[in-house]
Amino acid sequence: MLAIQRYNSSGILASLPHSNDSAMVQRPEVEPVFCNGTRPKTNPTSAGITMTLGIVFNVVALIMLAKAYNRFRRRSKATFLLFASSLVATDLAGHVINGALVLRRYSAGIANLADLPSNFRSNLKSHPDVPCLFLGCCMVFFGLCPLFLGCAMAAERCLGVSRPLLHARLVTTARTKMALALIWLLALCVALLPFFSLGAYTYQYPGTWCFIRVMEGTRATDLAFVTLFSGLALSSLAVAFVCNTISGITLVRARLKKKTTSQRSSARSHDTEMVVQLVGIMVASCICWSPLLVFGLMSATRSYNGSLGPDRDTYRALMVTGVRMATCNQILDPWVYILLRRSILKKIYSITKRQASLRGSMVRSFRWDVSSFQNSEKNNANI
């Protein structure tokens, strides 16, 4: 039989193993407390601000992308804009859903899992509640989707820049929408693997978020799952890097040849804008997601081997830093599109060119003044 332990402040229902001869009983409701007897202090302000900023930035970028898509509906840029709109929409959904669940954890009153009594802490980790399972699933799903989409966008642009005729024949709006559906389906399948006994989701320090079980009690299935998750994510970043490199080299070569017509030059300008945006998305994803992917894999490996004990607190801090950086990626993605548009790039280029010409004129003026002074000194000496 099972006995149910209820936590009044968090609303968590955890099933606890009990003896076979015991009946179903209701344990007393217990308030989570610190070891010194005080209740955990919650500070949801930073999480609320981050969530609000992410929602505002993604909504603004989504509106701009929708307008651009209507303007370029029949051009090659429409495919890129459809991918980009899907990326921003996915980031927005992930920000809202994950942020709401985390804020719910804050409002529930459990702010520091390590400060709870040991029996409560072990019960929470061994038997996570439904919101924890859902949050862990969302973390994996909304983590993989942007990386998969960034990889698909880079591959699409690489084909469009290096093989434009083949791109025009193969890439259509219908196939793009099918690719988007497959990407979301693949990420969902990976996120649902723990429900089929491959890995598990559990509360992570300090108890306000859930992720793959990598810190304590890590099993072979957990290690396999976190390896799959990190491997797919890092592979997507690697493929995006290769495709963006090929696209960049192709555009530079075309620029150096200078044999394109004005129409083709305009197309190259659009290609350059899209590749610059893709490079920005790739750099932001690498910086924001690499810590969580690497630290999660390292902690799972050491936990499975039983060598994590002395450095457990260090890895807990690293995981918290990693998930915060990964959250920032959903804020940076819309800014990449907002700031790296062709109009903004032209303004930056004109300002840079104006500053360079101003500095050049100042240098030339200074040199002229020096030479004039030297000539006047020579004339005075001759007199």
Side-chain angles (χ1 to χ4, degrees):
M1 300 292 292
L2 297 175
I4 297 178
Q5 177 76 50
R6 180 183 295 272
Y7 294 84
N8 185 32
S9 64
S10 65
I12 297 172
L13 290 175
S15 300
L16 308 179
H18 203 55
S19 58
N20 294 331
D21 56 346
S22 62
M24 182 78 73
V25 296
Q26 182 73 29
R27 299 281 183 91
E29 294 186 354
V30 182
E31 293 286 345
V33 295
F34 286 112
C35 294
N36 58 9
T38 61
R39 294 185 64 180
K41 294 182 179 180
T42 59
N43 184 22
T45 304
S46 59
I49 293 175
T50 302
M51 179 179 175
T52 303
L53 291 177
I55 292 174
V56 172
F57 295 156
N58 279 282
V59 168
V60 171
L62 198 58
I63 293 173
M64 296 173 64
L65 282 165
K67 292 182 178 179
Y69 181 75
N70 290 329
R71 190 166 64 251
F72 294 98
R73 183 182 295 272
R74 296 184 179 180
R75 301 186 185 182
S76 60
K77 193 176 179 180
T79 303
F80 173 84
L81 292 173
L82 185 57
F83 272 120
S85 301
S86 302
L87 172 62
V88 174
T90 304
D91 283 337
L92 177 61
H95 215 72
V96 171
I97 295 174
N98 293 346
L101 291 173
V102 170
L103 288 178
R104 177 186 178 276
R105 290 292 303 159
Y106 274 111
S107 62
I110 296 182
N112 197 329
L113 193 63
D115 291 324
L116 293 175
S118 58
N119 60 328
F120 295 165
R121 186 168 63 249
S122 61
N123 291 337
L124 282 175
K125 291 183 177 180
S126 302
H127 306 277
D129 55 345
V130 174
C132 176
L133 297 177
F134 182 67
L135 177 57
C137 184
C138 289
M139 288 287 294
V140 173
F141 176 77
F142 290 112
L144 288 177
C145 278
L147 301 179
F148 287 167
L149 289 171
C151 177
M153 292 167 68
E156 184 269 334
R157 272 301 86 203
C158 181
L159 181 64
V161 170
S162 59
R163 297 289 186 272
L165 297 179
L166 181 62
H167 175 273
R169 188 167 67 253
L170 293 180
V171 180
T172 62
T173 302
R175 290 177 178 175
T176 301
K177 293 179 180 179
M178 185 180 299
L180 289 171
L182 291 176
I183 287 172
W184 287 323
L185 180 61
L186 176 59
L188 180 62
C189 289
V190 175
L192 292 177
L193 286 178
F195 296 95
F196 298 93
S197 301
L198 181 59
Y201 296 124
T202 185
Y203 283 102
Q204 304 290 327
Y205 177 86
T208 55
W209 61 293
C210 295
F211 194 57
I212 306 169
R213 183 167 52 196
V214 296
M215 297 298 300
E216 296 180 13
T218 305
R219 303 172 184 173
T221 53
D222 301 319
L223 182 59
F225 183 42
V226 74
T227 302
L228 175 64
F229 172 73
S230 300
L232 289 174
L234 293 173
S235 299
S236 299
L237 292 174
V239 172
F241 175 78
V242 173
C243 292
N244 288 331
T245 302
I246 295 174
S247 299
I249 293 174
T250 304
L251 290 174
V252 170
R253 286 180 176 176
R255 181 79 176 180
L256 293 176
K257 288 180 180 179
K258 293 183 179 180
K259 293 182 179 180
T260 58
T261 62
S262 59
Q263 182 180 2
R264 190 58 189 163
S265 177
S266 176
R268 291 294 181 187
S269 178
H270 283 290
D271 290 335
T272 302
E273 177 191 19
M274 290 183 281
V275 170
V276 169
Q277 290 174 348
L278 285 174
V279 171
I281 292 173
M282 180 192 67
V283 171
S285 299
C286 287
I287 294 175
C288 294
W289 273 102
S290 293
L292 182 62
L293 298 174
V294 174
F295 295 148
L297 186 58
M298 290 173 60
S299 60
T301 303
R302 293 194 59 179
S303 176
Y304 178 71
N305 294 331
S307 59
L308 185 61
D311 302 321
R312 191 178 304 277
D313 292 338
T314 301
Y315 275 95
R316 281 175 175 170
L318 291 175
M319 288 292 290
V320 172
T321 302
V323 74
R324 287 174 178 171
M325 293 183 65
T327 304
C328 291
N329 183 234
Q330 297 172 333
I331 301 176
L332 293 177
D333 278 346
W335 274 107
V336 169
Y337 177 77
I338 293 172
L339 294 180
L340 297 184
R341 289 176 298 149
R342 187 169 58 165
S343 58
I344 303 297
L345 293 176
K346 284 183 176 180
K347 290 181 180 178
I348 295 174
Y349 176 75
S350 62
I351 293 174
T352 304
K353 188 176 180 180
R354 192 183 308 118
Q355 292 293 331
S357 61
L358 180 61
R359 290 179 182 178
S361 62
M362 291 176 64
V363 171
R364 288 193 298 270
S365 176
F366 176 76
R367 289 177 179 176
W368 185 84
D369 291 339
V370 171
S371 61
S372 299
F373 177 76
Q374 290 175 348
N375 293 331
S376 62
E377 287 293 326
K378 290 180 180 180
N379 294 332
N380 292 334
N382 291 331
I383 295 175

